[in-house]
């Protein structure tokens, strides 16, 4: 089955520790995205990558880092510099990035990160 | 950052009732409007993508309309069923980024 996997589903970390969230896709999609959801807010874009070895900051990139060494993988590191890291994190992918109105995003199941 | 608004925030309807909700978005920088259904403990699932003013899309009992001039889209569900219970998200696609609303949470009471 093709899809997007995120692991783990729930993650607990102590304040001050970096933590890496996994996102893997076997859809052969070029573009991948990381979003954050907080109560009462819409999904907000953290980082996106349109192609391997390239990524751009979204609206709320501060305190996060990413890498895109392989097409199928786009891990997100939440660093100790992120002031409010507790949130629900969603990964998505699309066939390609950029200008296409039919660029549907396919989502993973999400990881809920709690920083204690 | 684009401001995409959805209303109502939540909705409870009886099984068999028809319902609708609204997505408002800035009409400038508009490229496409996407609707997603997000069931609890699952991934958001794409419902529709619309690009042209006056577009209307339908999938079973669910349909959506688009007005790009005034910046809104309506999602309609005819004869709601318990399995329609979910959060419905809309997103404005500017060509480079998706901007999501906060969603409308629908509960269909059997």
């Amino acid at each position: 089955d093709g899809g997007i996997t995120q692991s783990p589903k729930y993650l607990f970390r102590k304040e001050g520790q970096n933590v890496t969230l996994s996102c893997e896709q076997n859809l052969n999609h070029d573009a991948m995205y990381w979003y954050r959801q907080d109560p009462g807010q819409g999904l907000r874009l953290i980082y996106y990558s349109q192609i391997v070895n390239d990524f751009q900051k979204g609206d709320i990139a501060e305190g996060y880092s990413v890498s895109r060494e392989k097409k199928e993988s786009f891990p997100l590191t939440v660093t100790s510099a992120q002031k409010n890291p507790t949130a629900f994190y969603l990964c998505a992918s699309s066939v390609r990035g950029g200008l296409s109105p039919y660029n549907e995003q396919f989502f993973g199941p999400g990881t809920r990160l709690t920083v204690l | 950052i684009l401001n995409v608004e959805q209303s109502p925030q939540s909705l409870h309807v009886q099984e068999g009732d028809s319902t609708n909700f609204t997505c408002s978005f800035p009409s400038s920088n508009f490229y496409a409007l996407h609707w997603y259904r997000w069931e609890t403990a699952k991934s958001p699932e794409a419902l529709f993508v619309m690009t042209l003013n006056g577009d209307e899309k339908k999938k079973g009992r669910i349909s959506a309309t688009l007005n790009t001039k005034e910046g809104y889209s309506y999602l309609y569900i005819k004869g709601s069923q318990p399995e329609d219970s979910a959060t419905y998200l809309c997103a404005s696609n500017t060509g480079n980024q998706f901007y999501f609303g906060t969603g409308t949470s629908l509960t269909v009471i059997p």
Side-chain angles (χ1 to χ4, degrees):
Chain A
D1 281 336
I4 302 174
T5 56
Q6 292 185 245
S7 60
K9 193 172 181 178
Y10 298 96
L11 192 53
F12 296 88
R13 278 296 180 270
K14 288 185 180 178
E15 194 173 344
Q17 289 182 333
N18 291 357
V19 60
T20 297
L21 280 59
S22 162
C23 177
E24 305 278 328
Q25 54 99 358
N26 61 4
L27 301 167
N28 201 33
H29 285 177
D30 283 339
M32 296 186 76
Y33 311 80
W34 273 107
Y35 292 93
R36 168 181 172 140
Q37 188 191 40
D38 295 282
Q41 296 199 45
L43 299 178
R44 292 183 292 165
L45 184 66
I46 304 172
Y47 266 98
Y48 65 102
S49 167
Q50 298 200 43
I51 200 166
V52 173
N53 293 323
D54 181 65
F55 48 83
Q56 286 83 39
K57 293 181 180 180
D59 296 323
I60 55 165
E62 187 175 347
Y64 298 97
S65 66
V66 292
S67 62
R68 186 87 188 277
E69 296 175 5
K70 297 187 294 182
K71 188 174 187 178
E72 55 271 20
S73 179
F74 191 40
L76 174 75
T77 297
V78 184
T79 75
S80 56
Q82 168 48 233
K83 293 177 184 176
N84 296 297
T86 295
F88 185 72
Y89 292 86
L90 265 180
C91 178
S93 70
S94 59
V95 173
R96 60 187 63 81
L99 292 173
S100 169
Y102 300 101
N103 224 2
E104 281 298 345
Q105 294 196 0
F106 295 80
F107 288 88
T111 292
R112 186 166 296 281
L113 172 65
T114 303
V115 175
L116 305 169
Chain B
I1 296 180
L2 242 63
N3 191 27
V4 177
E5 296 182 350
Q6 290 188 247
S7 63
Q9 189 173 3
S10 66
L11 198 52
H12 290 73
V13 301
Q14 290 292 136
E15 182 175 353
D17 286 352
S18 294
T19 188
N20 66 85
F21 16 96
T22 306
C23 173
S24 301
F25 55 89
S27 50
S28 59
N29 294 321
F30 174 81
Y31 206 67
L33 193 285
H34 300 252
W35 280 101
Y36 290 84
R37 175 168 57 202
W38 193 359
E39 295 179 66
T40 302
K42 294 188 177 180
S43 306
E45 171 194 333
L47 283 174
F48 304 113
V49 55
M50 296 181 288
T51 57
L52 299 174
N53 186 44
D55 251 355
E56 186 169 338
K57 295 284 178 79
K58 189 174 179 182
K59 186 184 286 190
R61 293 178 291 98
I62 304 177
S63 60
T65 61
L66 179 67
N67 183 322
T68 60
K69 292 182 180 178
E70 296 181 40
Y72 64 83
S73 175
Y74 293 136
L75 189 80
Y76 300 91
I77 302 179
K78 186 177 177 182
S80 303
Q81 299 296 308
E83 58 265 30
D84 296 328
S85 297
T87 295
Y88 291 83
L89 294 177
C90 71
S92 176
N93 177 354
T94 61
N96 283 322
Q97 236 188 92
F98 281 48
Y99 291 92
F100 285 84
T102 53
T104 292
S105 174
L106 174 67
T107 303
V108 182
I109 303 163

